[in-house]
Amino acid sequence: MARPVQLAPGSLALVLCRLEAQEAARGAEEPGGRAVFRAFCRANARCFWNSRLARAASRLAFQGWLRRGVLLVHAPPASLQVLRDAWCRRALRPPRGFRIRAVGDVFPVQMNPIAQSQFIPLAEVLCCAVSDMNAAQIVVTQESLLEHLVKHYPGIAIPSQDILYTTLGTLIKERKIYHTGEGYFIVTPQTYFITNTTPQENKRILSDESPWMPTSITYLDTESGI
């Protein structure tokens, strides 16, 4: 199992509340976190009569801003302790236009990485490749598809012609991709399937570029005009 990764160190959280006058003047728009952080540092750095607090404010670093007015700040342990003491003595000054409702410690933020399998389904890779090539307006043939895999998916084993042929046929059968005289395309919500024959008449033919393409299905794509 992968070891936890620390995304952010321990920090101090300030729960802020906008003053009613400021709320009415600015409407419902929420100010940016960095602007609030600078206003907080400025307010406490001007406490010249409290040199410890002013010095601690100058050492603060912006850690984050959560909606509903939670400011996260980080600093050396001694500076964070000065802020805690100032809050306890009701000496911590809020940023202009706000009131401090609460101050508290936030534990370090850690992430437990999720391990990935080394196996990449070929069908998934082919769908991604066809989609990318369609978006880039590159004609998707079996040859150009293999070239795309070599160039953009260096970590996978390039399939043989037979495996590629069979997998493309399976994807067509599952209606994940389709083929026309202009190449392979991804089936999207804008792709319509029109079936005109009965199941008994639904025989499949084999062509060089369209493995096991149902003859009973017509593909209409509203985006590409096919």
Side-chain angles (χ1 to χ4, degrees):
M1 185 175 179
R3 297 178 58 183
V5 177
Q6 182 169 300
L7 300 179
S11 57
L12 204 63
L14 294 89
V15 182
L16 305 174
C17 177
R18 294 180 69 174
L19 300 179
E20 293 183 4
Q22 296 291 329
E23 189 79 31
R26 299 185 181 181
E29 183 180 357
E30 186 172 319
R34 289 191 179 276
V36 175
F37 169 73
R38 287 192 295 267
F40 173 72
C41 293
R42 195 160 47 242
N44 288 278
R46 290 175 179 171
C47 295
F48 305 113
W49 59 93
N50 188 337
S51 59
R52 294 181 68 244
L53 178 58
R55 186 164 53 252
S58 67
R59 295 179 177 176
L60 291 177
F62 177 74
Q63 191 70 34
W65 173 252
L66 305 180
R67 294 185 64 86
R68 301 295 181 182
V70 179
L71 177 65
L72 302 177
V73 298
H74 180 67
S79 297
L80 290 181
Q81 188 57 47
V82 171
L83 265 63
R84 296 188 191 98
D85 294 341
W87 168 251
C88 292
R89 294 185 290 105
R90 297 181 178 271
L92 191 63
R93 297 175 65 82
R96 185 176 180 181
F98 288 87
R99 176 173 61 87
I100 302 178
R101 294 173 54 191
V103 173
D105 290 298
V106 177
F107 291 107
V109 178
Q110 289 189 335
M111 174 186 72
N112 292 320
I114 300 174
Q116 285 187 302
S117 170
Q118 294 184 353
F119 171 73
I120 305 175
L122 178 60
E124 181 72 21
V125 173
L126 291 179
C127 287
C128 291
V130 171
S131 177
D132 291 343
M133 294 173 74
N134 289 167
Q137 298 184 343
I138 300 173
V139 177
V140 185
T141 64
Q142 292 182 28
E143 289 73 19
S144 65
L145 189 54
L146 285 174
E147 292 175 0
H148 186 85
L149 294 180
V150 171
K151 182 177 180 180
H152 297 281
Y153 294 87
I156 71 167
I158 301 303
S160 66
Q161 194 73 36
D162 289 342
I163 293 177
L164 177 66
Y165 184 80
T166 301
T167 307
L168 289 173
T170 301
L171 292 173
I172 290 176
K173 187 186 302 183
E174 295 174 350
R175 295 189 177 183
K176 295 180 179 178
I177 66 173
Y178 65 96
H179 181 269
T180 72
E182 297 181 358
Y184 292 94
F185 296 88
I186 286 291
V187 173
T188 71
Q190 287 73 41
T191 306
Y192 295 90
F193 300 87
I194 303 175
T195 304
N196 297 319
T197 58
T198 63
Q200 291 76 14
E201 296 171 328
N202 186 17
K203 297 180 180 180
R204 303 180 185 279
I205 61 174
L206 195 63
S207 67
D208 292 339
E209 276 295 342
S210 181
W212 299 108
M213 182 71 176
T215 59
S216 62
I217 297 178
T218 301
Y219 298 84
L220 300 177
D221 197 311
T222 59
E223 291 185 346
S224 63
I226 296 172

